[in-house]
Amino acid sequence: MTPTPRLTVDGLSVRFRLRTATVHAVTDLSLTVHSGELLAVVGESGCGKSVLAHALLGLLPGNASVTGRAVLDGDTDLFAGGRRHLGRRVGLIPQSPTTALNPVRSGRSLLEETLRAHGRPRTDADAVATAAGFDPGDLDRYPHELSGGMAQRLTTALALAPDPPLLIADEPTTGLDRPLVDHTLDLLRARCDAGNAVILITHDLTAAHRVADTVAVMYASRIVEHQPAEALFAAPVHPYTAGLLDALPDRAFRAIPGHPPMLTALPSGCAFAPRCARATDACTTLPALTGPARCHHPLVDRAAVA
Protein backbone atom coordinates (compact mmCIF):
# COMPACT_ATOMS: atom_id res chain seq x y z
CA MET A 1 0.00 0.00 0.00
CA THR A 2 1.33 3.44 -0.93
CA PRO A 3 2.14 5.48 2.21
CA THR A 4 0.14 8.67 2.79
CA PRO A 5 2.03 11.97 2.69
CA ARG A 6 1.77 13.58 6.11
CA LEU A 7 3.78 16.71 5.28
CA THR A 8 4.88 18.02 1.90
CA VAL A 9 7.32 20.94 1.78
CA ASP A 10 7.95 22.57 -1.59
CA GLY A 11 10.52 25.29 -2.29
CA LEU A 12 10.82 26.52 1.31
CA SER A 13 13.19 29.46 1.77
CA VAL A 14 13.69 31.43 4.99
CA ARG A 15 15.54 34.74 5.15
CA PHE A 16 16.34 36.92 8.17
CA ARG A 17 16.71 40.61 7.42
CA LEU A 18 19.47 42.23 9.47
CA ARG A 19 20.49 45.87 9.43
CA THR A 20 23.54 45.27 7.22
CA ALA A 21 22.95 41.81 5.74
CA THR A 22 20.48 39.04 4.97
CA VAL A 23 20.83 35.58 6.52
CA HIS A 24 19.95 32.80 4.06
CA ALA A 25 18.86 30.29 6.70
CA VAL A 26 16.94 27.80 4.50
CA THR A 27 17.12 27.75 0.72
CA ASP A 28 14.76 26.06 -1.75
CA LEU A 29 14.04 23.08 0.50
CA SER A 30 11.64 20.38 -0.64
CA LEU A 31 10.78 17.11 1.08
CA THR A 32 7.90 14.81 1.89
CA VAL A 33 7.32 12.93 5.15
CA HIS A 34 4.87 10.03 5.03
CA SER A 35 2.75 8.40 7.70
CA GLY A 36 4.84 5.81 9.49
CA GLU A 37 8.12 7.51 8.48
CA LEU A 38 10.87 8.84 10.70
CA LEU A 39 12.89 11.42 8.79
CA ALA A 40 16.18 12.51 10.36
CA VAL A 41 17.53 15.92 9.36
CA VAL A 42 21.26 16.08 10.06
CA GLY A 43 24.16 18.46 9.51
CA GLU A 44 26.61 20.73 11.31
CA SER A 45 25.39 23.45 13.67
CA GLY A 46 24.05 26.50 11.85
CA CYS A 47 23.06 24.70 8.66
CA GLY A 48 19.34 25.54 9.02
CA LYS A 49 17.90 22.44 10.71
CA SER A 50 16.17 24.20 13.60
CA VAL A 51 15.03 27.09 11.40
CA LEU A 52 13.19 24.51 9.29
CA ALA A 53 11.28 23.34 12.38
CA HIS A 54 10.49 26.87 13.53
CA ALA A 55 9.27 27.84 10.06
CA LEU A 56 6.86 24.90 9.93
CA LEU A 57 5.45 25.81 13.34
CA GLY A 58 5.25 29.57 12.79
CA LEU A 59 7.83 30.32 15.50
CA LEU A 60 10.11 32.61 13.51
CA PRO A 61 10.91 36.17 14.66
CA GLY A 62 9.45 39.25 13.01
CA ASN A 63 12.46 39.86 10.77
CA ALA A 64 11.99 36.54 8.98
CA SER A 65 10.50 36.15 5.51
CA VAL A 66 9.21 32.78 4.31
CA THR A 67 8.44 31.62 0.78
CA GLY A 68 7.32 28.25 -0.51
CA ARG A 69 4.58 25.85 0.59
CA ALA A 70 4.21 23.35 3.43
CA VAL A 71 1.04 21.24 3.19
CA LEU A 72 -0.13 19.09 6.10
CA ASP A 73 -2.27 16.02 5.35
CA GLY A 74 -2.86 17.21 1.81
CA ASP A 75 -5.29 19.96 2.80
CA THR A 76 -3.67 22.54 5.09
CA ASP A 77 -1.05 24.99 3.82
CA LEU A 78 0.89 26.03 6.92
CA PHE A 79 2.13 29.22 5.27
CA ALA A 80 -1.33 30.35 4.19
CA GLY A 81 -3.11 30.64 7.51
CA GLY A 82 -3.28 26.90 8.15
CA ARG A 83 -1.89 26.95 11.71
CA ARG A 84 -5.18 27.51 13.54
CA HIS A 85 -5.46 23.92 14.78
CA LEU A 86 -1.80 23.07 14.42
CA GLY A 87 -1.37 22.19 18.09
CA ARG A 88 -3.68 19.20 17.70
CA ARG A 89 -1.84 17.88 14.67
CA VAL A 90 1.82 18.78 15.10
CA GLY A 91 3.89 18.45 18.26
CA LEU A 92 7.29 19.97 19.03
CA ILE A 93 10.05 18.80 21.33
CA PRO A 94 12.08 22.04 21.51
CA GLN A 95 15.85 22.27 21.39
CA SER A 96 16.04 24.44 24.54
CA PRO A 97 13.58 22.92 27.03
CA THR A 98 14.40 25.18 29.98
CA THR A 99 13.41 28.29 28.03
CA ALA A 100 10.28 26.61 26.63
CA LEU A 101 8.74 25.93 30.05
CA ASN A 102 6.69 28.47 31.99
CA PRO A 103 8.85 29.23 35.06
CA VAL A 104 5.89 29.85 37.38
CA ARG A 105 3.99 26.64 36.52
CA SER A 106 4.82 23.21 37.89
CA GLY A 107 5.35 20.33 35.53
CA ARG A 108 2.06 18.79 36.64
CA SER A 109 0.16 22.01 36.00
CA LEU A 110 1.64 22.31 32.51
CA LEU A 111 0.98 18.70 31.61
CA GLU A 112 -2.56 18.60 33.02
CA GLU A 113 -3.46 21.79 31.16
CA THR A 114 -2.10 20.35 27.91
CA LEU A 115 -4.08 17.14 28.37
CA ARG A 116 -7.28 19.03 29.20
CA ALA A 117 -6.86 21.32 26.16
CA HIS A 118 -6.74 18.27 23.91
CA GLY A 119 -9.68 16.40 25.40
CA ARG A 120 -7.77 13.99 27.59
CA PRO A 121 -8.34 13.52 31.35
CA ARG A 122 -5.89 15.16 33.72
CA THR A 123 -5.43 11.79 35.39
CA ASP A 124 -3.39 10.70 32.36
CA ALA A 125 -0.53 12.96 33.47
CA ASP A 126 1.41 10.31 35.37
CA ALA A 127 1.17 7.79 32.53
CA VAL A 128 2.25 10.34 29.90
CA ALA A 129 5.18 11.43 32.05
CA THR A 130 6.25 7.84 32.63
CA ALA A 131 6.12 7.08 28.91
CA ALA A 132 8.52 9.99 28.30
CA GLY A 133 10.93 8.74 30.97
CA PHE A 134 9.94 11.45 33.47
CA ASP A 135 9.36 10.35 37.06
CA PRO A 136 5.75 11.33 37.98
CA GLY A 137 7.05 12.09 41.47
CA ASP A 138 8.89 15.09 39.98
CA LEU A 139 5.83 16.59 38.26
CA ASP A 140 5.17 18.94 41.16
CA ARG A 141 8.55 20.61 40.71
CA TYR A 142 8.99 23.93 38.92
CA PRO A 143 11.30 24.30 35.88
CA HIS A 144 14.12 25.88 37.90
CA GLU A 145 14.11 22.77 40.11
CA LEU A 146 14.72 20.44 37.19
CA SER A 147 18.02 19.38 35.68
CA GLY A 148 18.52 19.89 31.96
CA GLY A 149 17.76 16.24 31.29
CA MET A 150 14.61 16.34 33.40
CA ALA A 151 13.41 19.46 31.58
CA GLN A 152 14.05 17.68 28.28
CA ARG A 153 11.92 14.71 29.35
CA LEU A 154 9.13 17.01 30.58
CA THR A 155 8.97 18.85 27.24
CA THR A 156 8.88 15.45 25.54
CA ALA A 157 5.87 14.49 27.67
CA LEU A 158 4.16 17.80 26.83
CA ALA A 159 4.73 17.22 23.11
CA LEU A 160 3.36 13.67 23.27
CA ALA A 161 0.31 14.50 25.38
CA PRO A 162 -1.93 15.51 22.42
CA ASP A 163 -0.80 12.37 20.50
CA PRO A 164 -0.05 14.46 17.36
CA PRO A 165 0.06 12.72 13.96
CA LEU A 166 3.29 14.64 13.19
CA LEU A 167 6.00 15.23 15.77
CA ILE A 168 9.01 17.49 15.23
CA ALA A 169 11.79 16.57 17.65
CA ASP A 170 14.55 19.18 17.69
CA GLU A 171 17.62 17.63 19.37
CA PRO A 172 15.36 15.67 21.78
CA THR A 173 18.21 13.78 23.48
CA THR A 174 20.20 16.83 24.65
CA GLY A 175 21.32 16.44 28.26
CA LEU A 176 20.22 12.81 28.56
CA ASP A 177 22.40 9.90 29.59
CA ARG A 178 22.71 6.88 27.30
CA PRO A 179 19.79 4.83 28.68
CA LEU A 180 17.43 7.81 28.39
CA VAL A 181 18.76 8.63 24.92
CA ASP A 182 17.86 5.10 23.88
CA HIS A 183 14.47 5.36 25.61
CA THR A 184 13.64 8.60 23.79
CA LEU A 185 14.72 7.23 20.41
CA ASP A 186 12.66 4.08 20.97
CA LEU A 187 9.67 6.27 21.87
CA LEU A 188 9.99 8.18 18.58
CA ARG A 189 10.41 4.97 16.62
CA ALA A 190 7.31 3.48 18.25
CA ARG A 191 5.24 6.48 17.17
CA CYS A 192 6.15 5.87 13.55
CA ASP A 193 5.55 2.14 13.85
CA ALA A 194 2.03 3.08 15.01
CA GLY A 195 1.46 5.10 11.82
CA ASN A 196 2.47 8.60 12.90
CA ALA A 197 5.32 10.63 11.40
CA VAL A 198 8.39 12.12 13.07
CA ILE A 199 10.95 14.67 11.91
CA LEU A 200 14.05 14.15 14.05
CA ILE A 201 16.47 17.07 13.91
CA THR A 202 19.81 15.93 15.28
CA HIS A 203 23.56 16.21 15.08
CA ASP A 204 23.80 12.64 16.42
CA LEU A 205 24.38 10.47 13.36
CA THR A 206 24.43 7.32 15.49
CA ALA A 207 20.92 8.13 16.70
CA ALA A 208 19.76 8.82 13.15
CA HIS A 209 21.18 5.52 11.95
CA ARG A 210 19.44 3.64 14.73
CA VAL A 211 15.87 4.86 14.20
CA ALA A 212 15.50 6.76 10.92
CA ASP A 213 13.80 5.47 7.78
CA THR A 214 15.18 8.32 5.67
CA VAL A 215 17.85 10.96 6.20
CA ALA A 216 18.10 14.49 4.79
CA VAL A 217 21.56 16.05 5.05
CA MET A 218 21.67 19.85 5.23
CA TYR A 219 24.66 22.03 4.46
CA ALA A 220 24.70 25.82 4.33
CA SER A 221 20.88 26.12 4.21
CA ARG A 222 20.27 23.47 1.52
CA ILE A 223 19.52 19.76 1.47
CA VAL A 224 22.54 18.18 -0.23
CA GLU A 225 21.54 14.53 0.14
CA HIS A 226 18.25 12.75 0.86
CA GLN A 227 17.85 9.00 0.72
CA PRO A 228 16.90 5.92 2.78
CA ALA A 229 18.95 5.67 5.96
CA GLU A 230 20.49 2.28 5.28
CA ALA A 231 21.61 3.32 1.80
CA LEU A 232 23.03 6.62 3.04
CA PHE A 233 25.07 5.07 5.84
CA ALA A 234 26.30 2.25 3.62
CA ALA A 235 27.25 4.35 0.60
CA PRO A 236 26.92 8.15 0.93
CA VAL A 237 26.65 9.99 -2.38
CA HIS A 238 27.64 13.54 -1.43
CA PRO A 239 31.25 14.19 -0.26
CA TYR A 240 29.89 16.20 2.68
CA THR A 241 27.83 13.25 3.89
CA ALA A 242 30.89 11.03 3.60
CA GLY A 243 32.83 13.57 5.66
CA LEU A 244 30.20 13.57 8.40
CA LEU A 245 30.30 9.78 8.57
CA ASP A 246 34.11 9.69 8.57
CA ALA A 247 34.05 11.95 11.64
CA LEU A 248 32.31 9.24 13.70
CA PRO A 249 34.48 7.54 16.34
CA ASP A 250 33.71 4.08 14.97
CA ARG A 251 34.83 5.12 11.48
CA ALA A 252 37.83 7.23 10.51
CA PHE A 253 37.32 9.70 13.41
CA ARG A 254 38.54 12.44 11.05
CA ALA A 255 37.04 15.93 11.02
CA ILE A 256 36.03 17.67 7.80
CA PRO A 257 38.68 20.33 7.07
CA GLY A 258 37.66 23.97 6.93
CA HIS A 259 34.44 25.65 7.98
CA PRO A 260 30.96 26.18 6.50
CA PRO A 261 30.38 29.50 4.71
CA MET A 262 28.64 32.40 6.38
CA LEU A 263 24.92 32.29 5.69
CA THR A 264 25.09 36.00 4.92
CA ALA A 265 27.52 35.36 2.05
CA LEU A 266 26.67 32.09 0.35
CA PRO A 267 28.54 31.39 -2.90
CA SER A 268 26.67 31.15 -6.19
CA GLY A 269 28.00 27.64 -6.75
CA CYS A 270 28.43 24.62 -4.50
CA ALA A 271 28.86 25.87 -0.93
CA PHE A 272 30.89 22.80 0.02
CA ALA A 273 33.45 23.19 -2.78
CA PRO A 274 36.10 25.02 -0.66
CA ARG A 275 36.20 22.02 1.71
CA CYS A 276 35.89 19.29 -0.94
CA ALA A 277 38.82 17.33 -2.39
CA ARG A 278 36.75 16.51 -5.48
CA ALA A 279 35.91 20.12 -6.41
CA THR A 280 36.55 21.35 -9.95
CA ASP A 281 35.66 24.43 -11.98
CA ALA A 282 32.22 22.89 -12.50
CA CYS A 283 31.51 23.49 -8.82
CA THR A 284 31.39 27.25 -9.36
CA THR A 285 27.83 26.64 -10.59
CA LEU A 286 25.09 25.35 -8.31
CA PRO A 287 24.47 21.61 -8.81
CA ALA A 288 20.89 20.43 -9.11
CA LEU A 289 19.41 17.95 -6.65
CA THR A 290 19.11 15.06 -9.10
CA GLY A 291 18.72 11.63 -7.58
CA PRO A 292 19.75 11.46 -3.93
CA ALA A 293 22.37 14.23 -3.89
CA ARG A 294 23.09 17.80 -5.00
CA CYS A 295 26.64 17.33 -6.36
CA HIS A 296 28.61 17.63 -9.61
CA HIS A 297 30.95 14.83 -8.53
CA PRO A 298 28.93 12.27 -6.54
CA LEU A 299 30.76 9.43 -4.80
CA VAL A 300 28.31 6.87 -6.16
CA ASP A 301 27.09 6.71 -9.74
CA ARG A 302 23.64 8.31 -9.86
CA ALA A 303 22.21 5.53 -12.01
CA ALA A 304 23.21 2.98 -9.37
CA VAL A 305 21.14 4.68 -6.65
CA ALA A 306 18.25 6.00 -8.73
Side-chain angles (χ1 to χ4, degrees):
M1 185 172 63
T2 303
T4 303
R6 178 67 69 192
L7 175 71
T8 302
V9 182
D10 184 22
L12 171 63
S13 291
V14 180
R15 303 286 182 260
F16 296 109
R17 299 179 301 276
L18 306 180
R19 182 172 298 178
T20 59
T22 298
V23 178
H24 299 256
V26 176
T27 302
D28 195 24
L29 183 148
S30 297
L31 56 80
T32 299
V33 187
H34 296 89
S35 298
E37 178 182 358
L38 195 155
L39 167 69
V41 182
V42 304
E44 292 168 291
S45 296
C47 68
K49 304 187 301 295
S50 292
V51 174
L52 165 62
H54 293 167
L56 294 174
L57 291 162
L59 300 177
L60 296 175
N63 67 332
S65 63
V66 178
T67 58
R69 299 181 74 233
V71 179
L72 184 66
D73 293 327
D75 60 8
T76 303
D77 189 339
L78 300 182
F79 302 150
R83 295 194 176 95
R84 182 179 177 187
H85 301 294
L86 194 58
R88 299 178 182 273
R89 301 166 68 181
V90 183
L92 171 68
I93 302 176
Q95 184 177 20
S96 302
T98 53
T99 59
L101 298 171
N102 188 327
V104 298
R105 302 281 298 278
S106 69
R108 184 175 301 280
S109 172
L110 291 169
L111 187 52
E112 288 183 351
E113 180 183 42
T114 301
L115 289 166
R116 185 170 59 250
H118 292 89
R120 297 183 61 180
R122 296 189 306 172
T123 52
D124 284 354
D126 284 6
V128 172
T130 299
F134 189 90
D135 186 345
D138 292 321
L139 278 175
D140 293 313
R141 295 190 182 194
Y142 289 84
H144 73 275
E145 298 176 303
L146 304 177
S147 68
M150 293 169 71
Q152 184 70 65
R153 281 171 273 157
L154 177 57
T155 56
T156 298
L158 291 167
L160 296 178
D163 192 25
L166 173 64
L167 178 66
I168 300 175
D170 191 358
E171 302 287 3
T173 58
T174 300
L176 303 183
D177 57 23
R178 191 73 246 174
L180 283 171
V181 168
D182 293 341
H183 176 85
T184 300
L185 294 174
D186 290 343
L187 195 63
L188 299 180
R189 182 65 258 174
R191 292 194 61 76
C192 294
D193 293 342
N196 299 299
V198 172
I199 299 176
L200 170 63
I201 295 171
T202 184
H203 66 276
D204 187 343
L205 292 170
T206 301
H209 192 192
R210 177 179 169 182
V211 297
D213 297 298
T214 52
V215 178
V217 181
M218 288 191 71
Y219 183 76
S221 83
R222 295 182 184 273
I223 289 179
V224 296
E225 183 163 352
H226 186 187
Q227 63 167 325
E230 287 305 318
L232 182 141
F233 282 93
V237 176
H238 197 284
Y240 174 63
T241 306
L244 287 178
L245 297 181
D246 282 345
L248 293 174
D250 59 349
R251 299 205 182 193
F253 205 27
R254 180 177 61 245
I256 303 173
H259 302 280
M262 297 290 291
L263 295 183
T264 54
L266 291 178
S268 57
C270 175
F272 187 62
R275 307 173 71 184
C276 182
R278 299 169 65 87
T280 67
D281 289 345
C283 302
T284 59
T285 62
L286 183 68
L289 183 60
T290 56
R294 185 187 297 275
C295 184
H296 288 297
H297 306 294
L299 298 172
V300 179
D301 180 64
R302 296 186 194 278
V305 293

